[in-house]
Amino acid sequence: MKRSKDESFLVDLWEWIFRGLSYISVFYLVRKITKNRTYRFVDFWVIGNLLFSLLSSILVFYLHENLTWVMIILSIYGALRVFEMIVYQINVVFFDPYRSKNYKIKSTRRMILALFHNYVEIMFWFAVIIYTVATVAHTHIANTLPEYLRYITSTMLCVATFDRSVLENIVGDNLFIAQVIFLAIVAGLIMTVISIARFIGLLPSVNEIDGTTDHLQKTK
C-alpha cells in the first residue's frame, strides 16, 4: 500500500526510537537469557529491584569508606534501572497500544501498583547515585541514622516536588552533583506525568445532566 505524501510520520518515528531504547535494558537481557515471560516473573522483578534499591541506599550510606568500587557498580546498575523504567513506562502509555490493536493488560490495579513500585525505586536509586557522586567528590555527609533518614527523605522530596534545594543543602553544590540532581528532577517529572496520565485514563466515565436532551425535555 502506497503511503500518501502528506501522511504523518511523527508517531512512527518516536515509536521506532523507543522500541530501540527498550533493548537497552537489564530486564530485557534477563528475560532473553531465562526465556521467562510470565507475569509472576515480572512481579518478582519489580519487587526484588525495589528491595535491592533500598538495601543499596543503606549499603552505600553506611559502608562507603572502603567500598567505593561497589558504590560505583551499584550506581551504574541504578542508572540503567532508572533509564529502563522510564523507557518502559513511556512505551506502555504511548506506544504499546499503538503497536497492537489487541493490546491488553493483566490488571489495572496491578499496573498502578507496579508504577508506584517503579516510582519509589527511582527515588532510592537516585539516593544511591547522588551519594556515590558526593563521596567520590569528597562532599561530607554525616553517617548517623537520623542523617540517613533525612537524606532519603530529601531525595524523595527532590524527585517528587522537583525542588533541588532540599538535596543541595545536604550534598553541596558540586557541578556534577547538580547535574545528577537535575536528572533526578527530570525523571521525577516524567514519572509524575505518566502517573497522572494513567490515573486520568482509568477514571470511570460519567453521564452529565446539564446539556442533555432528556434534561431539557423534563424542564419544559
Side-chain angles (χ1 to χ4, degrees):
M1 179 177 170
K2 189 176 180 180
R3 291 198 170 199
S4 169
K5 291 183 179 180
D6 195 37
E7 186 174 349
S8 174
F9 64 89
L10 186 64
V11 177
D12 289 335
L13 172 63
W14 283 103
E15 185 278 328
W16 178 78
I17 290 173
F18 274 90
R19 183 191 295 270
L21 292 176
S22 67
Y23 298 132
I24 309 173
S25 164
V26 180
F27 178 62
Y28 173 80
L29 180 62
V30 171
R31 281 209 308 179
K32 198 78 173 175
I33 295 173
T34 62
K35 302 186 183 301
N36 193 328
R37 296 179 178 273
T38 63
Y39 291 113
R40 183 177 289 271
F41 172 76
V42 176
D43 292 347
F44 278 124
W45 179 261
V46 170
I47 295 173
N49 273 284
L50 174 59
L51 294 175
F52 184 47
S53 66
L54 169 61
L55 292 174
S56 296
S57 69
I58 296 172
L59 178 67
V60 300
F61 196 89
Y62 289 106
L63 303 177
H64 69 278
E65 293 182 358
N66 300 315
L67 295 173
T68 304
W69 62 275
V70 174
M71 296 173 67
I72 293 173
I73 292 173
L74 290 174
S75 296
I76 292 173
Y77 179 81
L80 287 173
R81 276 293 294 161
V82 171
F83 177 81
E84 170 186 303
M85 285 184 282
I86 291 176
V87 169
Y88 176 80
Q89 293 296 342
I90 290 176
N91 271 316
V92 167
V93 172
F94 291 104
F95 300 117
D96 285 349
Y98 176 74
R99 292 174 184 131
S100 174
K101 293 181 179 179
N102 298 321
Y103 176 73
K104 294 181 180 179
I105 61 174
K106 175 70 172 174
S107 164
T108 54
R109 290 187 181 87
R110 176 180 178 273
M111 179 187 66
I112 294 299
L113 286 172
L115 179 59
F116 277 141
H117 279 77
N118 287 165
Y119 203 170
V120 176
E121 184 186 341
I122 282 177
M123 294 175 178
F124 280 117
W125 281 129
F126 269 112
V128 172
I129 295 168
I130 293 170
Y131 193 87
T132 300
V133 173
T135 300
V136 173
H138 305 294
T139 301
H140 175 70
I141 302 176
N143 291 359
T144 61
L145 182 58
E147 287 298 327
Y148 169 78
L149 294 177
R150 179 184 169 214
Y151 175 64
I152 291 298
T153 303
S154 298
T155 304
M156 290 183 172
L157 285 173
C158 177
V159 174
T161 65
F162 324 131
D163 183 5
R164 64 191 305 160
S165 64
V166 293
L167 263 180
E168 287 179 343
N169 292 335
I170 298 177
V171 297
D173 57 356
N174 177 278
L175 180 60
F176 193 23
I177 295 174
Q179 298 304 316
V180 177
I181 293 175
F182 171 75
L183 291 176
I185 293 173
V186 171
L189 178 61
I190 293 173
M191 293 298 290
T192 300
V193 170
I194 289 173
S195 301
I196 293 173
R198 270 303 178 193
F199 280 121
I200 291 176
L202 293 173
L203 287 175
S205 59
V206 294
N207 296 322
E208 294 185 18
I209 294 177
D210 293 341
T212 62
T213 304
D214 290 340
H215 175 65
L216 291 174
Q217 289 176 348
K218 289 178 182 178
T219 57
K220 287 183 179 179

